[in-house]
Amino acid sequence: MERWYLLYCKPKQEFRVQSNLQSQGIVSCFPTFIKQKNSSAKAITQPLFPRYLFVRLDPHSSHFSAVKNTRGVANFIRYGMDLQIVPDELVNKLMQSCNVEVQCDLKEGDLVQLTDGCYKDIHAIFQQPDGELRSILLIKLLNQYTRIVVDNGIIKKVR
């Protein structure tokens, strides 16, 4: 029975690893998204999880050494002595959401509103992006500004 395993790649080698695995006939999943910084800039494809890739292998096959020795692969992710197994449902959801366009047109100081979670309907000040999927915001609690990190999907620009 085949299972999904998590691979750790060398820096900026994810596309190469996926191509090399595909040429070996090994099924892989490399979630990406399309990022457009502003309306005039060219859209670029970026990894959702930099340096990580999912591979589908039979635990009783000999493909593990072939995958580990594929150009660009650093190693399998392990949990103790065992290889990290990723649930099928998670990989299926990631494969369905691949190539989602993300546009970040927020600038430092922009007023935003949170649309979900425990801070729903709270106004905040955008400070800076924190990676590709989150941002750092300032909210006012007890007359003092506090930094929080939230998912970009729940931020709506007010002005």
Side-chain angles (χ1 to χ4, degrees):
M1 182 172 126
E2 291 186 335
R3 294 182 172 176
W4 287 102
Y5 295 93
L6 188 57
L7 278 181
Y8 189 62
C9 301
K10 293 178 181 174
K12 308 230 184 257
Q13 297 293 306
E14 304 95 341
F15 289 103
R16 170 186 268 176
V17 170
Q18 184 185 32
S19 175
N20 290 340
L21 290 173
Q22 185 178 13
S23 67
Q24 295 175 44
I26 297 171
V27 178
S28 65
C29 173
F30 177 49
T32 59
F33 67 97
I34 300 169
K35 181 177 180 182
Q36 186 168 356
K37 291 190 178 189
N38 57 42
S39 59
S40 63
K42 182 175 101 172
I44 54 174
T45 301
Q46 295 204 323
L48 189 59
F49 306 109
R51 297 186 70 179
Y52 291 95
L53 195 91
F54 302 94
V55 292
R56 189 161 181 84
L57 298 171
D58 183 354
H60 304 293
S61 73
S62 60
H63 291 293
F64 286 92
S65 61
V67 171
K68 188 176 181 212
N69 293 319
T70 299
R71 189 174 188 146
V73 172
N75 210 338
F76 280 94
I77 298 297
R78 297 181 181 275
Y79 185 72
M81 295 297 292
D82 299 324
L83 296 178
Q84 181 64 54
I85 298 172
V86 182
D88 289 344
E89 301 83 31
L90 176 63
V91 178
N92 290 337
K93 283 183 183 180
L94 289 171
M95 287 171 39
Q96 290 172 359
S97 66
C98 283
N99 292 325
V100 175
E101 186 169 338
V102 175
Q103 183 172 352
C104 185
D105 58 350
L106 296 172
K107 295 173 188 66
E108 184 176 350
D110 284 350
L111 185 62
V112 296
Q113 181 177 0
L114 297 159
T115 60
D116 197 16
C118 61
Y119 297 112
K120 185 176 181 179
D121 297 328
I122 300 263
H123 286 100
I125 299 170
F126 180 83
Q127 192 170 23
Q128 67 186 35
D130 182 31
E132 302 296 335
L133 302 175
R134 296 176 304 222
S135 294
I136 298 174
L137 306 178
L138 293 175
I139 62 170
K140 196 168 190 177
L141 294 173
L142 301 172
N143 293 325
Q144 185 175 7
Y145 282 100
T146 305
R147 293 175 79 177
I148 61 170
V149 178
V150 297
D151 180 20
N152 288 344
I154 66 167
I155 299 173
K156 179 177 80 173
K157 189 173 180 179
V158 174
R159 297 184 212 172

